[in-house]
């Protein structure tokens, strides 16, 4: 009796909880929500919704947000937040389309533009991480500062003008289809798969969960917490860079207004997906489903010629409901 | 020194005591002769506050198991007990933070239920917690009326608030503290006055003071006593918690002693001999089974060598050595600096001066990874907040220090992790045995075993144990003691901190007594007894 001291009444809700709020149960809820939106889509849009082209449109719409959401999932799982991803994405599109970069890309290969975007994004993320981990500034403030600074820098570089992509190889590649599916959707799928493996199968992912679950325990177990936090924000910056490349491919132009308010969509998708804002639990599948729910919803509203204002009201409602459900779970699991 | 007669103290220190009969309205400065001391104890006045048979269960632990307490108006009622005796839980029950599982609380002979902190204030019970609960950024007046602001139509009545604050501060003997002063600028004693004024602003009839002198220096303690005497003269009852005997003798009227969640001594006069109080506090009916000490061979190598270690504001000049196969105990009260010593050795805090050497290798100050790599493991004091990732599976908690080592090129080898964890689960008799459930579902004792298992998987030359049996029930304790001894026998150097003195004495080969951040005594565990240690830490803390 002495060593198995959890009381029976405490056990009963545990069982129920393990089914409903276990990873499978939570994702099942999201799948049901997505299915419901699709049912509404078919009922109101019929052929226009169920069409393959429309499905690809939804996925293309989801791709950029989805890739950035993968990095954000790591940040939020570690107990942090990154408000700067939208601005950083904008900055990467501008930097990759500057005259210098494009000239170099024409001479060498369009991969130079891609590399530029990825490096700019990663460096911005590492700066966030360094300020948070070593400067001990709370993530909200540090990334809020980057949100302002990166957008400002993008405006300075581009002089607030749209910079079209003139390297034809670049646009050819990113606007192409592979096996009938757009390249940027493939990229989304690859990044999601890599994110899942990184979170669930590597020491990096384990450290992320440990830092988010109990930073003090992680530190006292010998994990280099500060360095890990640096890497996590670097990763978020990298995904913003990838998102920037995809955005360039989709729009064929770089501008400082790319990714405006993207951070809100990304955070909403991750949180709706079931990653706890307090950290310690993250789900890549959930984030993917969260992104798909929002993009499908947008699609249904557009097909029905409903205003973006109505869309935003629906989005807001979904976020509140999801977070309320999440809090109930967190409260129950936090009471000893 | 150790055997200094504790009975000496009361005879030397007869402090003024005042009657408890409020009807008599005694002058606070009047000193009742000690001869009449027994008289006010059997007070004719009915108790203002009475607690009967209070029981409080927590999952897996019985914090209170039948506590009786009666407090009469105008007295200073001292609550004594070792750490874990249930004082804090009792306070929380009284202040409405916890609900008792069983028992009655009566105020003026009418049964009441104290469902939440506001209800406690409504009944005139105010609590001053050990950690000062003032808001630094607000003014004195704002702090005092926090939560019950005087307002009319939503506007705070600044002038009235200021007037009442001045009144309260004057009543506490400090009219010079302005109501508009920012509390953050006040010294600790000033903050305490604000906290006390807040208690009074609720028209408190009972004020609970949890170690109020802990943050004060000698002069400030005198002022605290003066205020306490004035309050009791006005009929306010004080429930006073302190480890310092001389304070209890100075202002106490009656003493209630708690042990293992029960009242074991009631209605004791404040001049009860120290020895008698200590035996009430410690004489336990459950004797823990401690493993045998095989004795450390004289030629065993020194594994942990701490030299002149200091941490500003916490402890200073700590030197100690632990040899392979030896268990060294640090005994001392909460706040004496014991935990900080362990954490500094481990690199979780960065020392101001001094060095830590493990197996001849000097550790980098303030670096946990270096210490871990050198074979040092720490089982931290707060298991839940410092030791475990509660939502994660048992095996992941066990392998928290080793998953990177079993991983290959960054890829986790969860099969190996489960195997390692399962092996330790068998070896330590972890119950339930399964390692895939969330660790929060385990009992305290088994959670502690999981933290130990982490270091067994890792392999340690030095094991630092901070309160290894806190929140662990009696049966599991003996198991943990046996485990620690086994580890030592296998050549590990163990340094253990505990506020339960018998635990240190029973488990360790050598004991260092820590008081106010200094090692005040060290001796082989057989050569010192519990009373000796308590004398050192209780009387020594005043020195």
């Amino acid at each position: 009796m002495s060593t198995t001291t959890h009381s029976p009444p405490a056990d009963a809700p545990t069982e129920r909880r393990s089914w409903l709020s276990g990873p499978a149960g939570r994702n099942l809820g999201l799948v049901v929500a997505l299915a419901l939106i699709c049912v509404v889509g078919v009922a109101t849009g019929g052929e226009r919704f169920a069409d393959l082209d429309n499905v690809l449109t939804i996925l293309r719409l989801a791709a950029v947000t989805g890739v950035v959401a993968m990095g954000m999932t790591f940040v939020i799982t570690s107990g942090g937040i990154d408000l700067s991803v939208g601005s950083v994405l904008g900055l990467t599109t501008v930097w990759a389309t500057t005259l210098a970069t494009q000239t170099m890309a024409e001479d060498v290969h369009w991969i130079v533009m891609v590399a530029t975007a990825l490096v700019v994004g990663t460096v911005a993320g590492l700066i966030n991480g360094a300020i948070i981990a070593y400067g001990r500034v709370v993530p909200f403030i540090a990334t809020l500062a980057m949100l302002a600074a990166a957008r400002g820098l993008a405006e300075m570089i581009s002089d607030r003008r749209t910079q079209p992509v003139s390297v034809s190889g670049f646009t050819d590649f990113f606007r192409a289809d592979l096996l009938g599916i757009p390249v940027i959707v493939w990229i989304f799928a690859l990044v999601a798969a890599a994110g899942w493996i990184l979170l669930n199968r590597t020491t990096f992912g384990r450290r992320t969960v440990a830092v988010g679950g109990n930073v003090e325990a992680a530190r006292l177990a010998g994990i280099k917490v500060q360095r890990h936090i640096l890497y996590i924000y670097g990763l978020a910056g990298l995904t913003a860079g990838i998102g920037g490349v995809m955005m360039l491919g989709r729009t064929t132009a770089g501008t400082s207004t790319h990714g405006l308010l993207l951070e809100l969509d990304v955070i909403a998708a991750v949180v709706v997906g079931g990653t706890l804002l307090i950290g310690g639990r993250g789900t890549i599948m959930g984030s993917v489903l969260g992104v798909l729910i929002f993009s499908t919803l947008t699609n249904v509203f557009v097909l029905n010629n409903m205003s973006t204002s109505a869309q935003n009201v629906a989005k807001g409602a979904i976020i509140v409901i999801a977070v309320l459900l999440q809090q109930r779970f967190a409260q129950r699991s936090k009471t000893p | 020194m150790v055997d200094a007669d504790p009975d000496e103290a009361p005879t030397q220190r007869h402090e003024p005591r005042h009657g408890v009969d409020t009807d008599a309205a005694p002058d606070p400065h009047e000193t009742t002769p000690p001869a009449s001391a027994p008289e006010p104890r059997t007070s004719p006045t009915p108790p203002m506050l009475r607690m009967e048979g209070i029981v409080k269960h927590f999952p897996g632990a019985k914090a209170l198991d039948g506590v009786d307490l009666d407090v009469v108006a105008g007295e200073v009622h001292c609550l004594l007990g070792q750490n874990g005796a249930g004082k804090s839980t009792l306070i929380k029950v009284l202040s409405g933070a916890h609900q008792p599982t069983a028992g009655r609380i009566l105020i003026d002979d009418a049964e009441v239920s104290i469902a939440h902190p506001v209800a406690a204030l409504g009944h005139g019970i105010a609590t001053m917690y050990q950690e000062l609960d003032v808001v630094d950024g607000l003014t004195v007046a704002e702090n005092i009326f926090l939560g019950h602001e005087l307002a009319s139509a939503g506007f705070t009545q600044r002038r009235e608030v200021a007037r009442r604050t001045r009144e309260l501060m004057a009543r506490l003997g400090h009219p010079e503290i302005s109501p508009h002063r920012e509390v953050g600028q006040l010294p600790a004693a000033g903050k305490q006055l604000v906290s006390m004024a807040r208690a009074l602003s609720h028209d408190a009839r009972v004020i609970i003071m949890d170690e109020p002198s802990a943050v004060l220096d000698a002069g400030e303690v005198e002022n605290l006593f003066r205020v306490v005497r004035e309050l009791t003269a006005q009929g306010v009852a004080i429930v006073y918690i302190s480890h310092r005997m001389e304070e209890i003798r100075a202002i106490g009227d009656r003493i209630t002693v708690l042990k293992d969640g029960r009242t074991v001594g009631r209605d004791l006069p404040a001049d009860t001999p120290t020895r008698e109080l200590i035996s009430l506090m410690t004489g336990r009916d459950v004797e823990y089974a401690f493993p045998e000490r095989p004795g450390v061979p004289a030629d065993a190598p020194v594994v942990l060598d701490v030299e002149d270690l200091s941490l500003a504001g916490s402890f200073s000049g700590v030197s100690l050595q632990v040899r392979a196969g030896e268990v060294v105990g640090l005994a001392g009260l909460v706040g004496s600096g014991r935990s900080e010593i362990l954490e500094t050795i481990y690199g979780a805090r960065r020392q101001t001066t001094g060095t830590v050497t493990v197996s001849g290798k000097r550790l980098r100050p303030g670096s946990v990874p270096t210490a871990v790599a050198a074979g040092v493991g720490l089982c931290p004091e707060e298991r839940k907040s410092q030791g475990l990732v509660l939502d994660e599976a048992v095996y992941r908690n066990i392998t928290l220090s080793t998953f990177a080592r079993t991983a290959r090129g960054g890829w986790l080898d969860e099969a190996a992790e489960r195997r390692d964890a399962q092996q330790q689960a068998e070896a330590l008799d972890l119950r339930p045995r399964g390692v895939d459930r969330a660790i929060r579902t385990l009992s305290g004792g088994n959670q502690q075993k999981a933290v130990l298992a982490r270091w067994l998987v890792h392999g340690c030359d030095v094991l630092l144990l901070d309160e290894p049996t806190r929140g662990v029930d009696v049966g599991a304790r003996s198991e943990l003691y046996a485990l620690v001894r086994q580890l030592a026998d296998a050549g590990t150097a163990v340094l253990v901190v505990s506020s339960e003195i018998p635990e240190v004495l029973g488990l360790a080969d050598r004991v260092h007594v820590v008081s106010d951040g200094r090692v005040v005594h060290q001796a082989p565990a057989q050569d010192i007894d519990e009373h000796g240690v308590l004398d050192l830490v209780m009387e020594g803390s005043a020195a």
Side-chain angles (χ1 to χ4, degrees), chain B residues 207-481:
Chain B
I207 301 180
I208 303 164
M209 299 185 178
D210 191 359
E211 300 213 28
S213 57
V215 294
L216 304 181
D217 65 31
E220 292 167 333
V221 170
E222 268 315 306
N223 183 54
L224 172 72
F225 287 178
R226 194 183 51 72
V227 169
V228 165
R229 287 190 190 108
E230 278 168 22
L231 286 173
T232 50
Q234 292 158 2
V236 175
I238 309 281
V239 177
Y240 193 91
I241 294 163
S242 177
H243 283 293
R244 300 182 182 174
M245 293 307 295
E246 74 281 0
E247 290 179 10
I248 290 165
R249 307 218 187 286
I251 54 163
D253 291 304
R254 293 191 302 156
I255 301 174
T256 292
V257 182
L258 296 187
K259 179 181 75 69
D260 299 338
R262 272 181 224 129
T263 302
V264 292
R266 70 195 73 201
D267 209 17
L268 300 163
D271 54 5
T272 307
T274 308
R275 188 158 287 267
E276 196 178 310
L277 292 173
I278 288 178
S279 66
L280 279 171
M281 284 160 62
T282 58
R284 30 174 73 74
D285 25 77
V286 188
E287 280 301 328
Y288 303 129
F290 290 104
E292 257 183 61
R293 282 178 281 234
V296 186
D299 61 342
V302 171
V303 182
L304 174 67
D305 190 355
V306 176
E307 213 167 310
D308 196 31
L309 200 66
S310 301
L311 180 68
S314 187
F315 62 87
S316 60
V318 173
S319 295
L320 55 88
Q321 296 186 328
V322 189
R323 288 183 291 170
E326 192 180 28
V327 180
V328 171
L330 292 181
L333 298 171
V334 172
S336 62
R338 336 156 286 183
S339 298
E340 289 79 1
I341 293 173
L342 281 201
E343 287 171 11
T344 309
I345 292 173
Y346 191 60
R349 293 164 186 263
R350 194 193 190 105
Q351 65 255 41
T352 327
T353 60
T355 57
V356 178
T357 312
V358 173
S359 310
K361 191 171 163 273
R362 187 179 284 193
L363 298 187
R364 205 168 90 208
S367 165
V368 175
T370 315
V372 172
V376 185
L378 169 75
C379 297
E381 181 178 13
E382 300 289 336
R383 199 166 41 236
K384 286 183 177 167
S385 66
Q386 299 180 299
L388 299 171
V389 186
L390 285 169
D391 285 322
E392 285 276 82
V394 171
Y395 81 92
R396 288 189 178 181
N397 274 284
I398 291 179
T399 59
L400 195 60
S401 295
T402 50
F403 68 84
R405 198 171 64 195
T406 46
R408 282 181 302 259
W411 291 82
L412 294 170
D413 185 347
E414 299 215 44
E417 286 182 42
R418 281 202 175 83
R419 206 163 48 235
D420 286 345
Q422 196 67 50
Q423 197 186 338
Q424 294 304 333
E426 309 283 343
L428 302 184
D429 192 20
L430 198 71
R431 275 169 280 173
R433 206 51 68 81
V435 293
D436 280 304
R437 51 166 54 222
I439 198 146
R440 70 163 64 253
T441 61
L442 266 55
S443 69
N446 282 293
Q447 288 181 347
Q448 189 66 53
K449 282 187 192 171
V451 179
L452 256 180
R454 177 185 302 162
W455 298 115
L456 292 179
V457 172
H458 184 269
C460 274
D461 298 328
V462 178
L463 197 55
L464 309 171
L465 304 173
D466 198 351
E467 301 278 1
T469 59
R470 173 172 294 179
V472 173
D473 55 53
V474 180
R477 278 178 184 219
S478 304
E479 283 182 71
L480 280 170
Y481 296 148

Side-chain angles (χ1 to χ4, degrees), chain A residues 97-111:
Chain A
T97 52
T98 54
L99 199 59
T101 314
Q102 294 215 41
T103 316
M104 201 156 74
E106 263 170 34
D107 293 346
V108 187
H109 193 268
W110 53 263
I111 208 78

